Amino acid sequence: MDYFDVAIIGGGGTGAATAYDLALRGLSVILFERGELTSGTTGRHHGQLHSGARYALGDHRIARECMAETLILRRIAADALEFNQGLFLAVDDEGESLTDEFVEACRAADIPATEVPVARAREWEPRISGATRRAVLVPDGTIDAYRLAMRFFASAASRGAVIRNYTQASGIEVTGGAVRAVAARSLRDGTETRYECGAVVNAGGPWADRVAALAGLEVPVTPAAGTMVAVEGRVANMVISRLRRPSDGDIVVPQRRLSIVGSTQRKVEDPDGLRPLPEEIELLLASADELVTGFSAQPFRAAWAAARPLAGRSSEEGREISRDIAIVDHGKSDGVRGFFSVLGGKATTLRRMGELVSDQVAAFLGKAEPCRTAKFDLAPYADYWRLP
Ligand SMILES: Cc1cc2nc3c(=O)[nH]c(=O)nc-3n(C[C@H](O)[C@H](O)[C@H](O)COP(=O)(O)OP(=O)(O)OC[C@H]3O[C@@H](n4cnc5c(N)ncnc54)[C@H](O)[C@@H]3O)c2cc1C
């Protein structure tokens, strides 16, 4: 039987950043991921490093947080990112009339947004829509989703964290109102092992309600599916967004030698086995053509869907739910001490999610060490496989 200070359930970006944060504070950590690392939403997202501009008109706090995290990630994980910048294009009346308010809202959130002449924007990106009336430059970028998460896993493992992929948490033992152990089943050989621990972090993303159910609890999470479509070739090197209030098919992201348009949003009951709908693919290709000339004429590469782990319950599609990070201390909300859920957020804010939940876990375990994950370069992603 093994003992760890903290058991983390979920091996996406959030679990990875949490494992690193806690290990850096000197705590012993084990993480369980039922599939390959990043096989949940983390390995399927759009790949935009959000400057926060997309949220500036709706939620200043999230916009500011994205900007702050973008700057930190540029420092600690530079080679998992592309600093390509972003253009917001006003291509209709709505966009044109929102432009001044948008630039002001970005600046109020410390996002350096600058309106540029359309002719200049076209020099940078010749294929932007002929309907472009105004253009705003923002510090958006591209994330290599896999490498960024793997840099956190490598850093966690180099600090002693034990990472178990293809291992599903199958039970959370609670005695005397506190978590005592996690049971985990190897999906390679079917063996089940019991790991005693002082605390458990639920980093199950859109599966977080199922993870909480292992301890007999409920957490408010709405899995909101989004579809993305990739075509061959880079139609632009910058991230191209439509200047309007967030809606479907607003963003074209260059990713390696592809261009990806996304996304849509619909509430789903089950985050597993999601398929893109034909009408979503059609809508996305048409929306991309309104931003970048000839997007849909590029050779089709792929369409896929993933579920956002939105923190909150919704009977609608979930657009009204904030993208905010939520930490649930189940000791306070449900009388199960030592059990914490980390919900919501973005891939861009993975480090911050790890920090916020680790602050609470460390305080619960009586460990006074502060978060230091913003201070050091992350380990190279390939170190993950080099470690014993
Ligand atoms: C369509 C779409 C586009 C997006 N685009 C962007 C973007 O461009 N930029 C951005 O910053 N963010 C984006 N996001 C948001 C971002 O992808 C997510 O916020 C982030 O990836 C969530 O990471 P996570 O680690 O919390 O969840 P996940 O990556 O889903 O990780 C949870 C993990 O828990 C595992 N798990 C579940 N149950 C168990 C169990 N019992 N035992 C062991 N493991 C278990 C799952 O297999 C999964 O791997 C997008 C999201 C969607 C849906």
Side-chain angles (χ1 to χ4, degrees):
M1 186 179 56
D2 295 309
Y3 177 86
F4 291 87
D5 293 322
V6 189
I8 298 170
I9 302 173
T14 306
T18 307
Y20 173 47
D21 192 313
L22 291 167
L24 205 49
R25 295 183 204 226
L27 292 161
S28 62
V29 174
I30 187 163
L31 179 145
F32 305 108
E33 165 54 49
R34 63 181 186 160
E36 183 49 284
L37 301 176
T38 77
S39 61
T41 306
T42 295
R44 298 157 201 258
H45 67 69
H46 202 164
Q48 181 179 12
L49 179 67
H50 281 284
S51 65
R54 179 168 170 78
Y55 306 107
L57 285 170
D59 190 326
H60 266 202
R61 225 188 50 72
I62 294 179
R64 189 183 294 277
E65 186 169 63
C66 284
M67 187 66 230
E69 288 304 308
T70 287
L71 293 174
I72 293 172
L73 290 179
R74 284 176 172 213
R75 234 178 25 240
I76 67 172
D79 74 351
L81 312 169
E82 191 183 340
F83 310 131
N84 33 358
Q85 310 220 67
L87 281 174
F88 272 73
L89 306 181
V91 295
D92 54 16
D93 289 345
E94 183 195 351
E96 190 171 21
S97 60
L98 265 179
T99 304
D100 292 333
E101 196 189 330
F102 171 72
V103 171
E104 229 170 83
C106 284
R107 290 187 181 160
D110 290 338
I111 301 163
T114 315
E115 182 165 11
V116 293
V118 173
R120 169 75 57 82
R122 191 162 284 115
E123 275 169 27
W124 293 332
E125 292 297 353
R127 289 178 66 173
I128 60 171
S129 165
T132 304
R133 302 183 197 176
R134 300 179 76 175
V136 179
L137 178 68
V138 299
D140 281 338
T142 298
I143 302 174
D144 184 314
Y146 182 65
R147 288 185 183 174
L148 179 61
M150 290 312 294
R151 290 198 67 175
F152 278 96
F153 279 119
S155 305
S158 73
R159 297 273 170 173
V162 176
I163 313 290
R164 294 259 190 271
N165 60 355
Y166 296 105
T167 306
Q168 177 155 3
S170 48
I172 298 173
E173 206 177 294
V174 180
T175 50
V179 290
R180 289 281 172 254
V182 170
R185 191 172 59 249
S186 163
L187 301 181
R188 298 178 203 273
D189 59 18
T191 53
E192 189 159 274
T193 308
R194 180 174 175 272
Y195 298 88
E196 287 204 355
C197 55
V200 175
V201 174
N202 170 7
W207 294 271
D209 53 348
R210 295 169 188 209
V211 171
L214 297 175
L217 302 180
E218 285 186 15
V219 288
V221 65
T222 296
T227 285
M228 289 144 285
V229 177
V231 294
E232 300 279 354
R234 282 191 169 215
V235 295
N237 283 309
M238 298 166 86
V239 177
I240 309 291
S241 301
R242 185 162 179 160
L243 204 163
R244 64 175 170 189
R245 295 194 189 274
S247 181
D248 290 348
D250 284 346
I251 311 169
V252 173
V253 180
Q255 180 69 253
R256 300 192 182 168
R257 217 177 282 285
L258 303 172
S259 300
I260 304 174
V261 59
S263 74
T264 53
Q265 184 153 319
R266 63 187 148 97
K267 191 183 158 198
V268 289
E269 293 306 322
D270 185 358
D272 280 311
L274 293 175
R275 312 286 299 176
L277 305 176
E279 60 270 26
E280 291 177 319
I281 297 174
E282 209 175 297
L283 178 138
L284 288 171
L285 289 171
S287 306
D289 282 344
E290 289 175 19
L291 276 178
V292 184
T293 308
F295 183 98
S296 63
Q298 300 287 128
F300 179 88
R301 173 67 177 267
W304 70 99
R308 299 170 184 87
L310 300 183
R313 287 242 188 270
S314 173
S315 51
E316 309 289 325
E317 300 305 296
R319 274 223 190 270
E320 79 286 7
I321 301 181
S322 156
R323 267 43 179 172
D324 223 345
I325 302 166
I327 312 295
V328 183
D329 175 346
H330 294 284
K332 291 188 178 140
S333 59
D334 306 289
V336 176
R337 294 189 308 282
F339 187 33
F340 299 85
S341 290
V342 49
L343 310 167
K346 315 275 317 154
T348 303
T349 58
L350 80 174
R351 190 210 64 84
R352 179 77 178 143
M353 294 175 79
E355 173 177 358
L356 290 173
V357 71
S358 299
D359 280 349
Q360 296 203 22
V361 172
F364 172 77
L365 293 172
K367 190 90 182 169
E369 293 287 316
C371 172
R372 289 183 295 147
T373 55
K375 286 191 194 311
F376 314 114
D377 239 15
L378 293 170
Y381 72 93
D383 273 11
Y384 183 76
W385 297 279
R386 292 195 192 112
L387 290 163

